[in-house]
Amino acid sequence: MAIDRFNVHNKRRNACMLHGPFAHQGYDWWWHSFTAQDALTGEDKPFFIEFFICNPALAEDEPVLGQLPKNKKEERRPSYLMVKAGTWGEDACQLHRFFSLKNVKMHKSAPYKIAADDCLASESRLKGHISISEDAAKAHPEWMCDAGEISFDLVIDKQIAFNVGYGASKPLRDAEAFAMYWHAEGMKSAYGGTVTFNGRQYIVTPEKSYGYADKNWGRDFTSPWVWLSSNCLVSKKTGKQLENSVFDIGGGRPKIYFVPLDRRLLGVFYYEGKEYDFNFSKLHLKVKTEFSFDETENEVIWHVRQENIKAVMETEIHCLKKDMLFINYESPDGKKNHNHLWNGGNGWGTIKLYDKKGQDLVLVDEVEATHVGCEYGEYGE
């Protein structure tokens, strides 16, 4: 990969990474988020779909759920495929369906493919169904999910990538150095197809899907946990939609060989074909990052300032609490450390992008962002 490029597609990095020690204590997930339109009203509605694999080497005939009291007492680590799907808004919910990994067909090398019963995920296709009754959700808190029903049948066109290039691009012997890895094969993706949620149909069209697709893998999650991204962007300079642009920010407090680094974020802006890279692992860019997260009575707010030797990006994103949920995961060791992980898809805000000219900052554009995917959480909250 060219050292100063991040829009480099690499399906090998999107393949299953649970080899070696990660097979016994590791997770790998493929995340998808997009906007659909109500078939009757045309109203926008955001959705997310994720395929999450945990500890494949520990597979049993039935899914092993780490939050089940008996398993917690015996310190049994979880093992399963979890198909997660849901929506944001005032009816925000997350639905989980679990499979034993003995009943999952996986094409582990690139291009990846995961299939279990009527659920399928691959580079270009998503299909599945989840149905959880109110009684079942209440009776099974170890499922960590809400009640509802969703089905989806989608195609994906991954157009712009964010290839982080750090850690996982090193030889395999170093592939477990970091606690959490990230690759966005479809930082800007176009989705098409249909979603049916609680009996209502939604149409997904590529030009209005504002889609995103990435993956994370590792042995643990980061804390704090930060994610912001959107490709629904309008230039304040011209008033026009930016058709070939996307920004993506993620990270928090990475660990290398179990040693936490200072609070750091990876950030990029693909601005109408020009790459602005704020990846702290590229030492020659001398990246500096400041970020904060605030809660008001009704909103959560992210402030991020990133600087490299060539440019500055200032990002402020808002999201209404009523449109968000606390997204649930358990880590491969069976603990559930993130219990206050804000997650939304209805964020909005501004990004100010500057070029450095000597000691001066020259405004490239101030960009209005909507349909922003957003996350923040810390352990112990």
Side-chain angles (χ1 to χ4, degrees):
M1 187 176 75
I3 196 167
D4 286 319
R5 291 187 60 211
F6 58 77
N7 180 24
V8 178
H9 291 277
N10 187 343
K11 292 180 181 178
R12 289 178 58 198
R13 296 198 65 185
N14 229 31
C16 182
M17 295 293 186
L18 299 185
H19 316 292
F22 281 172
H24 293 81
Q25 186 163 324
Y27 66 90
D28 202 346
W29 82 57
W30 293 261
W31 170 270
H32 312 82
S33 50
F34 55 91
T35 297
Q37 285 73 43
D38 188 299
L40 295 178
T41 68
E43 183 180 2
D44 280 354
K45 188 161 188 58
F47 290 96
F48 59 88
I49 298 165
E50 178 181 54
F51 279 58
F52 179 106
I53 293 173
C54 189
N55 294 341
L58 306 182
E60 299 185 13
D61 290 341
E62 298 294 330
V64 181
L65 305 177
Q67 299 309 295
L68 194 68
K70 183 176 183 290
N71 290 339
K72 291 175 76 171
K73 184 177 180 180
E74 296 175 0
E75 297 184 342
R76 295 176 71 203
R77 282 176 280 164
S79 177
Y80 47 73
L81 163 66
M82 176 177 70
V83 180
K84 174 196 285 279
T87 187
W88 296 291
E90 295 193 21
D91 57 351
C93 77
Q94 57 191 313
L95 306 174
H96 295 167
R97 183 178 177 187
F98 294 92
F99 297 91
S100 163
L101 287 163
K102 289 186 176 182
N103 298 322
V104 176
K105 295 180 180 179
M106 280 194 291
H107 186 258
K108 294 184 179 180
S109 58
Y112 90 96
K113 184 177 181 181
I114 304 169
D117 196 20
D118 58 354
C119 295
L120 169 73
S122 69
E123 288 290 357
S124 59
R125 192 80 193 276
L126 281 175
K127 197 174 182 183
H129 173 250
I130 307 172
S131 180
I132 309 289
S133 70
E134 292 278 0
D135 288 344
K138 290 176 183 177
H140 294 280
E142 71 275 12
W143 293 354
M144 306 178 293
C145 75
D146 305 306
E149 185 171 11
I150 190 169
S151 59
F152 48 90
D153 190 350
L154 300 160
V155 294
I156 317 166
D157 176 17
K158 297 175 181 176
Q159 298 175 344
I160 299 174
F162 177 19
N163 193 325
V164 174
Y166 194 42
S169 63
K170 292 178 178 291
L172 192 60
R173 65 179 179 271
D174 294 331
E176 286 84 30
F178 281 80
M180 187 173 188
Y181 292 86
W182 184 27
H183 177 67
E185 182 69 11
M187 174 171 62
K188 183 178 189 293
S189 293
Y191 288 77
T194 59
V195 175
T196 303
F197 175 64
N198 287 345
R200 201 166 182 94
Q201 189 177 47
Y202 298 85
I203 308 301
V204 187
T205 55
E207 63 274 12
K208 295 190 291 184
S209 64
Y210 313 118
Y212 179 87
D214 75 356
K215 72 173 303 198
N216 286 94
W217 68 97
R219 63 177 172 268
D220 199 0
F221 309 132
T222 187
S223 178
W225 180 329
V226 179
W227 173 59
L228 300 166
S229 185
S230 175
N231 59 71
C232 186
L233 306 171
V234 174
S235 167
K236 284 194 173 183
K237 180 185 288 186
T238 66
K240 296 181 179 179
Q241 188 93 17
L242 298 174
E243 300 288 353
N244 188 32
S245 297
V246 56
F247 84 95
D248 203 0
I249 297 170
R253 196 166 185 244
K255 292 181 182 179
I256 181 168
Y257 293 113
F258 300 96
V259 178
L261 305 177
D262 291 335
R263 291 160 65 97
R264 299 186 186 187
L265 298 180
L266 302 160
V268 293
F269 198 136
Y270 191 86
Y271 178 81
E272 295 301 272
K274 184 175 181 180
E275 298 189 8
Y276 288 84
D277 195 343
F278 303 93
N279 184 337
F280 71 82
S281 73
K282 296 180 180 179
L283 300 182
H284 68 287
L285 293 177
K286 298 181 180 179
V287 174
K288 300 176 184 177
T289 298
E290 300 172 7
F291 72 88
S292 64
F293 176 80
D294 300 308
E295 291 189 36
T296 68
E297 182 179 352
N298 299 315
E299 289 184 357
V300 291
I301 307 165
W302 293 255
H303 301 272
V304 183
R305 187 183 191 276
Q306 295 173 286
E307 177 180 351
N308 64 24
I309 58 174
K310 300 177 181 178
V312 172
M313 183 166 74
E314 296 177 346
T315 305
E316 180 177 309
I317 300 298
H318 299 243
C319 199
L320 294 175
K321 289 181 175 180
K322 67 180 180 64
D323 288 340
M324 305 181 76
L325 51 80
F326 292 128
I327 201 159
N328 289 324
Y329 300 100
E330 58 184 2
S331 56
D333 63 4
K335 296 178 182 177
K336 190 175 185 297
N337 293 315
H338 273 295
N339 295 299
H340 202 80
L341 181 53
W342 288 106
N343 176 271
N346 291 330
W348 75 93
T350 58
I351 304 101
K352 294 180 181 178
L353 192 60
Y354 300 90
D355 281 333
K356 287 184 175 180
K357 302 294 183 183
Q359 299 298 313
D360 298 325
L361 295 180
V362 178
L363 183 67
V364 175
D365 205 345
E366 182 174 354
V367 177
E368 293 182 336
T370 55
H371 300 82
V372 181
C374 45
E375 272 183 318
Y376 189 87
E378 296 192 48
Y379 287 169
E381 291 186 332

